[in-house]
């Protein structure tokens, strides 16, 4: 019986030695309940408050006529005047300002208008792009096969 106790003692000592030489990784303490929050949603770009003139024009809208027509609810005999909010983002490495409405790319800021953008951002206390601006989708009438207007977009800077 003493031999069995000695063997059990040696086995326990051996297991203790193995555990001491090769410890299990410690589980980090769980954060306090206040820190266990879901990740924050992406920050919404700020809205630039323009002068109400809608004088900045968007170029390239001829390539997005179907998208603009859907946004205004279709063509009518009268010219559209549909108000929306556009998002301006910088095209990486190009200096071009992309314009989208409801997540749909619809054109680019004219370079002559994009030059005014830094001043408008500064006046609004906004540090850079992306930024939201008020937009007007205009034109797009349909008065018959020979009299259809193109949609255009103007931005309120």
């Amino acid at each position: 019986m003493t031999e069995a106790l000695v063997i059990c003692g040696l086995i326990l000592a051996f297991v203790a030695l193995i555990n001491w030489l090769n410890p299990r990784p410690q589980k980090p303490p769980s954060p306090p309940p206040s820190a266990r929050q879901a990740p924050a949603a992406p920050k919404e770009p700020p809205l630039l408050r323009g002068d109400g003139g809608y004088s900045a024009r968007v170029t390239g809208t001829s390539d997005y006529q179907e998208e603009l027509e859907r946004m205004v609810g279709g063509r009518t005999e009268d010219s559209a005047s549909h108000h929306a909010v556009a998002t301006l983002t910088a095209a990486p490495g190009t200096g071009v300002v992309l314009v989208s409405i409801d997540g749909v790319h619809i054109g680019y800021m004219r370079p002559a208008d994009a030059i005014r953008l830094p001043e408008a951002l500064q006046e609004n206390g906004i540090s850079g792009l992306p930024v939201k601006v008020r937009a007007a989708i205009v034109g797009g009438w349909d008065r018959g096969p020979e009299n259809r207007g193109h949609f255009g977009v103007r931005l309120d800077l």
Side-chain angles (χ1 to χ4, degrees):
M1 174 120 161
T2 48
E3 287 180 20
L5 288 175
V6 171
I7 291 173
C8 283
L10 288 173
I11 291 173
L12 287 173
F14 180 72
V15 170
L17 178 65
I18 295 292
N19 284 335
W20 183 72
L21 292 174
N22 191 15
R24 292 185 185 148
Q26 293 289 324
K27 182 179 175 185
S30 60
S34 61
R36 290 187 224 148
Q37 298 173 358
K43 189 175 178 184
E44 190 72 18
L47 177 67
L48 185 145
R49 302 223 181 266
D51 61 9
Y54 291 88
S55 59
R57 295 178 188 224
V58 177
T59 64
T61 56
S62 61
D63 294 329
Y64 304 98
Q65 292 297 296
E66 289 178 15
E67 291 86 346
L68 292 167
E69 184 174 343
R70 274 193 297 276
M71 289 177 190
V72 301
R75 292 178 182 268
T76 64
E77 193 172 293
D78 297 322
S79 182
S81 182
H82 178 82
H83 290 271
V85 175
T87 303
L88 308 181
T89 54
T94 64
V96 173
V97 178
L98 305 173
V99 181
S100 60
I101 296 176
D102 295 331
V104 178
H105 175 76
I106 53 95
Y108 310 89
M109 276 191 80
R110 281 189 329 171
D113 293 321
I115 290 172
R116 299 180 6 220
L117 190 56
E119 182 180 346
L121 291 171
Q122 185 177 14
E123 288 172 357
N124 280 264
I126 300 171
S127 60
L129 299 178
V131 66
K132 291 190 177 279
V133 297
R134 289 184 178 87
I137 303 171
V138 297
W141 63 86
D142 186 355
R143 298 179 187 135
E146 301 295 321
N147 193 355
R148 278 176 61 106
H150 285 284
F151 288 103
V153 178
R154 294 176 176 238
L155 306 173
D156 181 20
L157 294 185

